[in-house]
Amino acid sequence: MVARGARNVAGVDEVGRGPLAGPVVAAAVILDPARIPPGLHDSKSLSRRARERADLLIRESARIGLGEASVEEIEELNISRATHLAMERAVAALGAAPDHALVDGLHLPPNLPCPGSPLVRGDSRSLSIAAASIVAKVWRDGIMVALAQQHPGYGWETNMGYGSKSHMAALQAKGPTPHHRRTFAPVHKLLWQEGTASR
């Protein structure tokens, strides 16, 4: 492993690349080897209750940093670069830079404050990346539940901004909000149809 000999290794993961609405969120987690929380798995494999319980245990025992990239940044930069920006912000939010970062995925963000290694399927191969996936997922879910109260009817409190059938129906009926990603194909297509229909 490239991180061999590093004392403070941060696992880094993101959530929110695929939704039609809301920010992309990343977390960086440095676990305490003496206090590894039980049941760390990829956040997608855990129930909501299990994720929230694991999130509390991680926060009690580990160093965490969170980073976001806004809808505006996603549209300006594209989702891949915005995801890397969120990851860079998450690592920076740890305070002191870790010795090494293990980043879930194929590519390494270009502006990390420390050496790093990409790790494909990292959330199933690294406990620290699994912890980061849990923290990022719980944080972003909270953002989407709050946004759902401001923009009811899109089902964000349950679909978290992903293109579910109910979300797509609401988007068709109500139109996009400022939190929708207008460069994403389903939203862009709807706006294009509305534009041509109004001519």
Side-chain angles (χ1 to χ4, degrees):
M1 168 96 36
V2 183
R4 185 177 292 132
R7 296 189 61 185
N8 293 310
V9 177
V12 185
D13 202 0
E14 56 73 30
V15 65
R17 283 178 64 103
L20 305 181
V24 61
V25 171
V29 175
I30 299 176
L31 293 171
D32 180 347
R35 301 173 66 199
I36 303 291
L40 291 184
H41 301 284
D42 171 18
S43 64
K44 295 183 288 294
S45 70
L46 299 174
S47 69
R48 186 170 184 170
R49 180 174 293 182
R51 274 196 306 270
E52 291 173 348
R53 186 164 56 244
D55 178 67
L56 288 175
L57 292 174
I58 294 164
R59 288 174 177 275
E60 288 173 357
S61 60
R63 278 175 59 197
I64 70 164
L66 284 156
E68 296 178 22
S70 67
V71 169
E72 292 78 15
E73 289 171 324
I74 292 168
E75 297 190 335
E76 179 183 347
L77 299 171
N78 74 48
I79 186 60
S80 294
R81 178 66 193 109
T83 297
H84 281 173
L85 180 61
M87 288 178 163
E88 291 160 3
R89 288 170 173 168
V91 176
L94 287 168
D99 299 326
H100 200 91
L102 292 175
V103 179
D104 185 55
L106 278 168
H107 303 292
L108 207 59
N111 298 313
L112 288 175
C114 63
S117 306
L119 193 62
V120 177
R121 296 188 305 278
D123 43 18
S124 62
R125 299 169 63 191
S126 162
L127 289 177
S128 59
I129 292 178
S133 77
I134 291 167
V135 171
K137 172 68 173 163
V138 171
W139 185 260
R140 188 180 186 278
D141 283 359
I143 291 172
M144 296 311 297
V145 168
L147 288 177
Q149 296 173 358
Q150 300 172 29
H151 301 277
Y154 295 92
W156 291 344
E157 66 278 10
T158 54
N159 64 47
M160 304 308 167
Y162 285 88
S164 66
K165 187 178 292 188
S166 61
H167 187 183
M168 295 305 297
L171 190 57
Q172 191 78 39
K174 297 159 67 75
T177 71
H179 302 287
H180 278 98
R181 303 174 182 178
R182 284 162 165 73
T183 53
F184 276 41
V187 183
H188 181 77
K189 182 179 178 181
L190 177 65
L191 291 170
W192 183 84
Q193 289 172 339
E194 288 180 347
T196 55
S198 63
R199 287 175 191 165

